[in-house]
Amino acid sequence: MTNLSISRRDLLRRCGMGMGGLALTQLLSDASILRAESPAASISPLAPRQPHFAAKAKRVIHLFMNGGPSHLDTFDYKPNLAKYAGKPLPKENLRTERKTGAAFPSPFKFKKYGQSGIEVSEIFENTAECIDDICVIRSMHADVPNHEPSLMLMNCGDARLVRPSMGSWLTYGLGTENQNLPGFIAMCPGGYPIQESQNWQAGFLPGVFQGTYIDTKHTDIEHLIENIRNRSTSRDQQRRQLDLLKTLNERHRQARSDDPQLDARIQSFELAFRMQIEAAEAFDVSREPKQILDMYGPGTQARQILIARRLIERGVRFVQVWHGEGQPWDSHDDLEIQHRRLAQQCDRAIGALLKDLKARGLLDETLVIWGGEFGRTPSVELATPGANAGKVNGRDHNHYGFSMWLAGGGVKGGQVIGATDDFGFAAVENKVHVHDLHATILRLLGFDHERFTYRYAGRDFRLTDVYGKVVKEIIA
């Protein structure tokens, strides 16, 4: 028979150490030192956490021009195209998704802006006013000239397999600063982009890190966020219902092995309850002063870009702003008309966002990313039955070379990274693959992309897979 007796001295020592351990656990949690995946961390999986090392960027706004904006008509001026207008390029056209023909010069004028003198198209003149805060990457390249795999590569780091999105990785690593709002929000007016919710999926990460989709076509809060208000049950009654449901779910979970889907469902109920407090106010841009509304301008793009600022201001970690459902920037025909129209919808608001963040002291800690999944060809797309309208005034997809830009959050502005060839067909100088971009974004947010992993199915996964190098020139 085991002797269960214990001296008074041992009892006090063990109790004291136990109470000290509990106190230490709480202190470490409050300081975001204790990781949420640790069994000792009883706090929310979305509680703020520290990255590998100190970083300026604490949050991200990703302005996604889905469909593939033309770098040749926005941020990569190629005067040589005008010399060969209507003529074959002096070298063979690269193979793209569809056949292309003669050189197609940009229909837009370019001008140098800022002290840096970086050339920007007239259709982004408002954004260009902030060019000294912007780092333009002109040497981006991806793997294939198709929307679906390129979207998956840009968002999830893999073109084919199910992987967590960049926003999910960042909320997994950093948590979020506001427990009453989702840590990762994806806004797209009118419906989903192609590949739909796969663009903001959590993949094999716990479901709580998946992006929350908002259709910003709507302005009324009850249409913008479905079921945000409960008109039949008081908050106290809802709380009691959730407490009961949580108790039942806990019993269900204890009788089974670890179930991440059940954990995610429990967290989603709790988050939905808390969102009733703060979401209605966060998405209501009418609360902004008139001068701010005037600065961003009218329209859906202005409203959702202003909402993005309001969300990161309230502690949301990652906000992705899609231009619209489908692939609006996919200008196979009428490129001049379509690109001018699309830029007019967002340029004013993008310029306002950068100026507004800077005026509020938020730009230094907010990383702003602009771009699509690839660029467009310098040669005109030829008529292909079933592929375009046969007008021969658009550009095909181009993954060999395209442009993106970064601003704020530790980025060295007023500079250009890399270059495409003389006609803008392929990146040739300081080439930056999407994996390199992801590695650099993670570095700006305080992560070593090779150490930032999640173990699944017997191996350690990361956003950059087994690739990627940090582009140090981007970092201030």
Side-chain angles (χ1 to χ4, degrees), residues 42 67 69 82 85 96 102 124 192 197 227 275 303 311-314 335 346 401 422 433 441 457 468:
S42 59
T96 54
F124 277 105
Y192 288 141
S197 61
N227 305 313
M275 279 180 67
R303 187 173 69 253
L311 290 172
I312 64 101
E313 198 173 30
R314 286 157 176 77
L335 181 136
C346 63
D422 290 342
H433 190 272
I441 290 171

Side-chain angles (χ1 to χ4, degrees), residues 13-78:
R13 177 177 59 82
R14 294 184 187 183
C15 288
M17 291 296 290
M19 294 302 292
L22 288 173
L24 178 61
T25 297
Q26 185 60 49
L27 287 171
L28 293 175
S29 296
D30 291 343
S32 300
I33 295 171
L34 188 64
R35 301 284 296 178
E37 60 265 31
S38 168
S42 59
I43 54 177
S44 164
L46 287 172
R49 294 185 288 278
Q50 295 298 319
H52 294 146
F53 40 79
K56 288 185 178 180
K58 295 182 178 179
R59 58 194 75 89
V60 177
I61 296 176
H62 186 186
L63 304 171
F64 208 116
M65 308 294 109
N66 47 315
S70 169
H71 54 298
L72 304 163
D73 301 291
T74 53
F75 295 96
D76 193 2
Y77 179 47
K78 294 297 179 183

Side-chain angles (χ1 to χ4, degrees), residues 115-355:
Q115 293 183 353
S116 54
I118 297 173
E119 293 157 321
V120 180
S121 167
E122 61 180 321
I123 64 174
F124 277 105
E125 60 180 357
N126 291 284
T127 303
E129 291 177 1
C130 304
I131 199 66
D132 289 336
D133 293 314
I134 290 173
C135 173
V136 181
I137 308 173
R138 287 181 176 164
S139 55
M140 289 295 307
H141 65 106
D143 297 338
V144 293
N146 309 100
H147 291 290
E148 291 83 355
S150 294
L151 279 167
M152 290 296 92
L153 179 65
M154 187 62 70
N155 281 296
C156 305
D158 193 288
R160 295 167 298 278
L161 302 175
V162 175
R163 295 285 185 268
S165 60
M166 178 166 55
S168 295
W169 275 108
L170 288 174
T171 49
Y172 160 67
L174 294 172
T176 187
E177 296 172 340
N178 188 334
Q179 300 302 300
N180 295 332
L181 291 169
F184 172 19
I185 293 176
M187 300 186 289
C188 186
Y192 288 141
I194 59 172
Q195 294 300 98
E196 302 181 341
S197 61
Q198 290 183 56
N199 291 293
W200 48 85
Q201 66 191 340
F204 46 70
L205 293 177
V208 70
F209 301 114
Q210 178 168 308
T212 297
Y213 166 68
I214 302 291
D215 184 350
T216 41
K217 174 185 68 177
H218 304 291
T219 55
D220 179 72
I221 187 64
E222 296 194 42
H223 290 97
L224 193 67
I225 306 173
E226 293 184 6
N227 305 313
I228 190 64
R229 293 195 180 103
N230 189 328
R231 300 189 181 281
S232 60
T233 307
S234 69
R235 285 188 56 79
D236 288 342
Q237 290 173 320
Q238 289 180 62
R239 182 68 267 170
R240 289 198 297 271
Q241 288 176 352
L242 281 175
D243 288 343
L244 173 60
L245 185 60
K246 184 176 181 181
T247 300
L248 295 173
N249 282 331
E250 287 291 345
R251 291 179 183 175
H252 181 78
R253 178 167 54 183
Q254 289 172 8
R256 290 157 179 81
S257 59
D258 182 50
D259 186 348
Q261 291 185 340
L262 178 59
D263 291 339
R265 182 62 59 88
I266 294 171
Q267 291 293 333
S268 68
F269 284 141
E270 290 295 329
L271 177 58
F273 175 75
R274 296 194 302 271
M275 279 180 67
Q276 296 178 70
I277 302 171
E278 209 159 324
E281 188 274 338
F283 284 88
D284 185 3
V285 299
S286 67
R287 298 170 184 258
E288 292 286 334
K290 184 179 183 300
Q291 65 267 25
I292 295 295
L293 296 172
D294 290 342
M295 183 168 72
Y296 280 79
T300 301
Q301 296 301 321
R303 187 173 69 253
Q304 69 170 358
I305 290 172
L306 178 51
I307 289 172
R309 191 224 78 203
R310 290 176 62 83
L311 290 172
I312 64 101
E313 198 173 30
R314 286 157 176 77
V316 176
R317 185 70 68 187
F318 192 99
V319 181
Q320 195 169 47
V321 183
W322 295 76
H323 196 103
E325 65 176 326
Q327 46 209 46
W329 283 87
D330 195 22
S331 299
H332 292 279
D333 291 297
D334 293 330
L335 181 136
E336 180 178 4
I337 295 171
Q338 298 299 336
H339 267 45
R340 190 181 295 278
R341 175 182 61 84
L342 292 163
Q344 283 177 346
Q345 292 174 357
C346 63
D347 172 49
R348 179 174 169 182
I350 294 172
L353 173 68
L354 295 174
K355 294 171 186 174

